[in-house]
Every structure is written in structure tokens, then in C-alpha cells.
Amino acid sequence: DLSLAETATGVALLAKRIGVNQAAERLGKHKTWCSRMVGIGELWAPVQQLVQQRKITSLDVAHELGNLHSIAPKAAEQFVGYFAEPPSWRDGAPTREEIRKRIESEKTVIAREAEDQRQREQRAANPQPTEQAERKAPTLTPDQQASLDREAEEERISVLAGRIAVQARCEAHDL
């Protein structure tokens, strides 16, 4: 049996000679699979090294770690560290699904930070209205304001609960 690194190298050589589509046809594989195999050589260097060392044997896991590194380098470093120096073998390496959950968690954090930044910029561009304008602006009843505050708090709790669940899963694997 060929390792993931050996397979990726062979597919990359074949694809370079005849193209990804023809390589896929000749190998009886989908062109996406061939493209991803060729892409192993373009992944973040620590992931490539772990593939070479046969510490990562899954094409999907290798690519998900590359994706995680592109959006959250520190989180990716934690996962790579786990593969590089696994704890006494082995409650199981992080799975593709666990890495994807971390990616989604990181995307949520990034989106929240981007929205917060957008709101800060918007407030800076539109300074607070004058006292006279404030008097004309409709005001919320205390019940309406309390309801809005509850909804905002529930949203924050939901996001935090998701992050805590992913972090707990990572800590269970010493990530």
C-alpha cells in the first residue's frame, strides 16, 4: 500500500504530464480527488511534513488542517502539535469533523469581530445625534428594551456555548 504522501506525489506527477482531468479518468477517480491529491504539495509546510511522516494519513484531515491554518493559524498549530507529539497513544487523533467544528467556531468568532468592527466604524462615521434629534427619535418602552436586551444576551450565550463545546472537545484531546 502506498502512503498518502506517495499517492499524492504520483498523482501530482501524472497530472503534470497529462492534466488533472485525464489523470482522474485514467485512475478511475473523480477530478476533485485528483486536484486535492495534487494540492497536498501546496499545503502548509507542517501539514506536508506530517503527511510525509505518515502521522496524517487522511487526505480530508490534511486539507481541513490547511483550511484551519488559513483562517486561524494558532488553532491549526495546536492540532498539528497533537499529531506531531500525540499523547500516550491514543484516544484517537482529531477527526475531520472535529477540525471542521473548530473551523466553524473560528469563522463565527471572525464574523462576530468583523461585525463589531463594522459597527464601530459606522458609529465613528455617524456621530451621536444632537440632543434635539434625540428628543424626536422614537424611544422604546422599558419592556421593549428589556426584550431586545434578552435577545442579544441569548445570542451571545448561544455563540459562547458553541465555542465552549468545541474548546472542551479540543481539550479532551489535549489540543
Side-chain angles (χ1 to χ4, degrees):
D1 282 336
L2 295 176
S3 70
L4 176 59
E6 293 165 332
T7 303
T9 300
V11 172
L13 290 172
L14 182 61
K16 186 175 182 177
R17 288 187 189 144
I18 64 174
V20 171
N21 290 340
Q22 285 186 337
E25 238 178 76
R26 185 172 285 174
L27 294 170
K29 296 287 189 175
H30 194 276
K31 66 181 180 181
T32 302
W33 180 88
C34 283
S35 293
R36 292 183 71 178
M37 277 294 178
V38 170
I40 289 286
E42 299 167 7
L43 290 175
W44 179 44
V47 173
Q48 288 182 40
Q49 185 177 18
L50 291 170
V51 168
Q52 288 291 332
Q53 296 168 348
R54 295 179 183 219
K55 292 183 177 184
I56 293 178
T57 58
S58 164
L59 176 62
D60 292 331
V61 167
H63 276 279
E64 292 298 345
L65 279 173
N67 292 340
L68 180 59
H69 180 260
S70 69
I71 63 166
K74 288 193 184 292
E77 288 170 13
Q78 290 174 334
F79 276 93
V80 164
Y82 180 82
F83 282 100
E85 299 291 332
S88 50
W89 279 78
R90 187 139 170 150
D91 359 321
T95 64
R96 175 185 183 195
E97 290 75 26
E98 290 169 330
I99 297 168
R100 277 191 166 180
K101 284 180 185 176
R102 185 65 181 263
I103 289 170
E104 291 307 313
S105 173
E106 294 295 335
K107 284 181 179 178
T108 300
V109 169
I110 291 167
R112 174 70 67 182
E113 289 170 353
E115 177 61 19
D116 290 347
Q117 179 64 29
R118 187 192 65 74
Q119 288 177 359
R120 282 191 296 275
E121 289 170 359
Q122 189 176 23
R123 283 192 298 272
N126 301 316
Q128 294 296 322
T130 64
E131 223 178 278
Q132 184 180 16
E134 282 182 23
R135 279 188 233 135
K136 292 181 181 178
T139 57
L140 297 176
T141 66
D143 288 342
Q144 291 171 325
Q145 185 62 49
S147 177
L148 286 175
D149 291 344
R150 275 192 306 279
E151 288 175 16
E153 186 63 21
E154 288 171 4
E155 175 66 24
R156 281 191 292 270
I157 290 170
S158 175
V159 169
L160 286 173
R163 288 175 66 193
I164 290 168
V166 169
Q167 186 173 357
R169 184 82 169 138
C170 290
E171 287 172 359
H173 289 288
D174 294 327
L175 297 177

